[in-house]
Amino acid sequence: MTYIDPESRAQAKAEGHPYASEERIAAAYSLADRVCRELHRAGLPAYVERPGASKQPGVWVEVNSQGEYAGGLYVRWSAPELAEDGMRAVAEQQDPAAPEWRRYAEVVLLMQTALIGILRLAGFSVVRAEEVDDIAEGDVYVHADAADREDA
């Protein structure tokens, strides 16, 4: 299976943002499947993010295919209805601290803590995503398994 088409891979390389190898990306998708299985075992709906898939409530697992941490995963809680209510309130009230938005943000942080605990109990190497990407607030980052990193 090819995860990154050759044209996109060549363009990213030319722009100085190369993708990880196909083997490393494949290993990351395998890791994502294992993460989803563990979250399902804990009773949470979890999905590996794929192009064209619609957002559903639950946990979304995204493969990181570029950069220093390629091969790892961003794991995020998705509550589309709550997020839409929060964004609508911010826009209508012209207040970035609207109660509906604060509620959504608090739910995301509560779920971040829960996801970290669940995944660590299952043996994954997990941190708050802000530790690897300062704009990924609220996400969880699962590092590639040691065996996956050795193959890269």
Side-chain angles (χ1 to χ4, degrees), residues 77 79 82-83 86 96-115 128 130 137-139:
W77 181 252
L82 201 56
E100 296 86 351
W101 182 256
R102 285 197 323 266
R103 178 176 177 213
Y104 168 70
E106 187 64 28
V107 167
V108 167
L109 292 176
L110 289 166
M111 291 307 299
Q112 180 190 48
T113 301
L115 290 167
R128 293 181 184 279
E130 300 92 304
E137 185 175 348
D139 290 354

Side-chain angles (χ1 to χ4, degrees), residues 55-111:
K55 290 284 185 186
Q56 299 175 32
V59 183
W60 280 86
V61 180
E62 176 186 354
V63 169
N64 184 10
S65 59
Q66 293 178 301
E68 178 182 357
Y69 296 102
L73 312 172
Y74 287 99
V75 179
R76 67 185 48 93
W77 181 252
S78 174
E81 186 176 332
L82 201 56
E84 288 172 18
D85 289 348
M87 288 186 285
R88 187 178 317 103
V90 167
E92 289 173 359
Q93 299 170 26
Q94 296 294 304
D95 179 8
E100 296 86 351
W101 182 256
R102 285 197 323 266
R103 178 176 177 213
Y104 168 70
E106 187 64 28
V107 167
V108 167
L109 292 176
L110 289 166
M111 291 307 299

